[in-house]
Amino acid sequence: MKTVLISGGGIAGTALAALLSHRGYAPTVVERASGPRGGGQAVDVRGVALEVVERLGVLEQIRAHRTRMRGMSVLDGDGRELHRSTENTFSSGRLDSGDLELLRDDLVRILHDRAKEEGCARFVFGDGVTALDPDEDDVLVSFEHAEPRRFDLVVGADGLHSAVRRLTFGPEERFARHLGMHLAIFSSDNFLGLEDWQLWLRDGEAGYGIYPVRGNSELRISFGYAGEPLPEGRRDPQAQRAVVAERMAALRWETPRLLKALADAPDLYCDTMTQIRMDRWSQGRIVLLGDAGYCASPLSGQGTSLALVGAHVLADALARSDGDHRTAFASYEERMRPFVALNQDLATENPGGPAAEESVERAKNAISLDG
């Protein structure tokens, strides 16, 4: 049984663990967090990705955890309603679509449980990859805490700031394309009393989206603002919190209460809107998956679907290759690249808002799982 180390226990890595277990591989997932990560925004499972979760056997669970918004309001800087819709929201698109929106942490938990059910997947939390030493037969992997271990294959599914990508291909700066925006996401009590309704406010180069979750008991708050990436030394959580508060302070309406919620939030996530563009996603026995290899940024609305579809295509390529990882990785790239390109383009099609509905429809269905 071939052993596979998957660095990253998010959507891509956990889905791949479940899919590989079903195909006779022995995957080990190593994740820096102490358990499946909580928090995060609502994410979308769209188009072909719905077929992936159906094949994984978790479609009905995902459907049961979907958000159930009635609509949204777009506000000016003083909180006055400029526009409302009961047909679509900025986070999920058309409300009558067959696509599914759910919280990121719910999706990760569902995938984690499914991977564990397969029996072959092993999860190691609170650790990370520090060095990779590949040869013709396997890869010797060093960890922050665990003893070094050899694996037949290594998959970097460790996100935008992938350690596997850095160790294998070089510094992030070679591949990152900053889109000029920053994103901060956190949760709070529903102090606005929202009921299945989203609010979106923008004033100049900053703004926020607010929507209720967990039966309207909580809010998910997303701050966005323009700016260049922070220097490396200012990426620690406290520095990020201070920068976000500074950039949002000029906004009016409920901003003071939102900034208080930011200060108290236990699950703040901050990062730049950035895409990763690479000429290749594999080297030897090491391959990249999801945001690590082809991050589309949250502006595309397709990061989750790219992760799920990429996991299926990679697992399928490995299963069909009769143990030849070179053939499998080449097939994975050939099938995924057109799909990735269309979905990355969604992030830049309309700088002022979501991409056109017809562009999303074309991109989300632009691959066949059995191609």
Side-chain angles (χ1 to χ4, degrees):
M1 183 177 288
K2 283 190 176 293
T3 59
V4 182
L5 177 73
I6 302 170
S7 177
I11 293 167
T14 309
L16 182 64
L19 290 160
L20 287 180
S21 294
H22 189 66
R23 288 162 171 79
Y25 284 75
T28 296
V29 180
V30 61
E31 164 60 49
R32 291 185 179 277
S34 58
R37 290 182 185 268
Q41 74 274 37
V43 298
D44 298 291
V45 181
R46 292 173 167 160
V48 179
L50 289 166
E51 189 176 346
V52 175
V53 296
E54 183 174 24
R55 293 186 182 191
L56 274 166
V58 296
L59 176 58
E60 291 309 313
Q61 287 178 266
I62 288 173
R63 185 171 281 127
H65 284 83
R66 71 182 302 177
T67 61
R68 302 189 183 277
M69 297 296 157
R70 296 179 292 111
M72 68 172 183
S73 296
V74 179
L75 312 176
D76 68 10
D78 293 307
R80 292 186 293 258
E81 187 175 78
L82 299 174
H83 168 72
R84 67 167 38 212
S85 175
T86 55
E87 296 180 353
N88 63 75
T89 67
F90 287 156
S91 69
S92 65
R94 291 193 61 86
L95 296 177
D96 61 359
S97 167
D99 299 336
L100 298 173
E101 181 187 65
L102 73 163
L103 292 178
R104 181 192 181 279
D105 46 354
D106 284 343
L107 178 55
V108 170
R109 178 181 51 77
I110 290 168
L111 293 171
H112 177 265
D113 291 347
R114 184 70 187 96
K116 296 288 283 186
E117 287 170 6
E118 287 291 342
C120 295
R122 177 172 177 256
F123 286 82
V124 179
F125 292 103
D127 208 346
V129 174
T130 58
L132 298 168
D133 185 12
D135 60 29
E136 275 298 308
D137 298 320
D138 54 31
V139 183
L140 177 63
V141 183
S142 299
F143 301 94
E144 289 182 6
H145 304 296
E147 291 298 313
R149 183 181 162 192
R150 294 187 178 277
F151 294 87
D152 293 309
L153 302 172
V154 172
V155 179
D158 43 352
L160 173 61
H161 306 299
S162 168
V164 171
R165 185 186 62 233
R166 174 176 50 79
L167 292 168
T168 307
F169 296 95
E172 181 177 308
E173 290 72 21
R174 294 183 186 176
F175 315 109
R177 177 182 173 188
H178 181 50
L179 301 182
M181 293 292 294
H182 292 255
L183 177 69
I185 302 167
F186 57 98
S187 61
S188 80
D189 295 334
N190 188 0
F191 58 85
L192 293 175
L194 294 179
E195 295 185 5
D196 303 324
W197 193 264
Q198 297 186 0
L199 301 176
W200 296 88
L201 179 148
R202 183 168 182 173
D203 192 3
E205 294 188 325
Y208 42 77
I210 310 169
Y211 48 89
V213 298
R214 309 283 188 223
N216 297 312
S217 64
E218 299 178 18
L219 297 178
R220 286 289 192 273
I221 301 166
S222 300
F223 285 165
Y225 58 90
E228 292 304 307
L230 293 175
E232 189 72 35
R234 300 191 70 188
R235 290 184 187 172
D236 69 273
Q238 285 307 111
Q240 287 181 326
R241 203 179 294 258
V243 169
V244 173
E246 176 187 343
R247 298 295 178 89
M248 304 301 292
L251 296 181
R252 303 181 299 280
W253 191 54
E254 291 283 0
T255 301
R257 286 210 286 174
L258 294 172
L259 291 179
K260 184 180 184 306
L262 167 70
D264 298 335
D267 57 359
L268 175 64
Y269 167 84
C270 294
D271 217 325
T272 58
M273 296 286 199
T274 299
Q275 292 190 339
I276 297 295
R277 294 179 180 254
M278 305 180 69
D279 293 333
R280 56 196 173 98
W281 302 329
S282 67
Q283 183 167 296
R285 293 176 172 272
I286 302 168
V287 66
L288 302 177
L289 172 65
D291 283 357
Y294 37 88
C295 180
S297 89
L299 291 174
S300 73
Q302 279 292 92
T304 295
S305 291
L306 282 174
L308 290 167
V309 174
H312 187 282
V313 172
L314 178 56
D316 188 57
L318 286 167
R320 291 169 182 258
S321 69
D322 195 28
D324 183 350
H325 62 276
R326 294 178 182 85
T327 299
F329 293 168
S331 173
Y332 161 63
E333 291 207 31
E334 181 181 3
R335 291 177 61 194
M336 281 295 293
R337 280 197 176 275
F339 184 63
V340 167
L342 279 174
N343 283 282
Q344 285 189 324
D345 287 347
L346 295 176
T348 55
E349 178 182 297
N350 178 19
E357 186 176 331
E358 56 268 26
S359 298
V360 176
E361 287 295 316
R362 180 172 64 253
K364 74 184 186 182
N365 292 302
I367 192 172
S368 168
L369 295 186
D370 299 317

